[in-house]
Amino acid sequence: MSYDKGLQDEKIKIGTKQTLKIVEQGLAAEVYVAEDADARVTSKIITLCEKQGIKLTYVATMRDLGKACGIEVGAAAVAVVNAN
């Protein structure tokens, strides 16, 4: 799935806290991280995704990621929740 199509049709969790929670629970199918987000905020999510083998996709800006999710503000991280 490409974020260009938008993430509105997917079951997603927006934001670093929600994304981290879903990743820790093993429920994330894919995680999107904004490249311009503060590394202190996203590094734990990235590390967990790599450790658990969760697909990690980088998006150029927080604004682009927020727009793909259908929200008016930027987002540092978004998790697509596994349908299982």
Side-chain angles (χ1 to χ4, degrees):
M1 176 187 69
S2 170
Y3 79 91
D4 293 332
K5 292 188 236 171
L7 295 168
Q8 296 102 332
D9 295 337
E10 298 290 329
K11 181 161 175 34
I12 59 173
K13 293 293 182 179
I14 302 170
T16 54
K17 289 179 184 176
Q18 291 293 324
T19 298
L20 185 58
K21 185 176 173 182
I22 293 299
V23 171
E24 287 174 337
Q25 293 174 351
L27 299 175
E30 184 172 1
V31 171
Y32 292 83
V33 175
E35 292 177 337
D36 67 343
D38 190 333
R40 292 175 295 178
V41 174
T42 59
S43 62
K44 188 172 182 181
I45 294 169
I46 293 167
T47 301
L48 271 175
C49 286
E50 290 170 349
K51 184 178 178 182
Q52 294 183 12
I54 296 169
K55 183 178 177 187
L56 196 56
T57 303
Y58 290 94
V59 179
T61 67
M62 291 174 59
R63 183 179 197 84
D64 288 346
L65 187 52
K67 186 176 178 182
C69 295
I71 60 173
E72 298 294 320
V73 295
V78 174
V80 177
V81 180
N82 202 343
N84 296 340

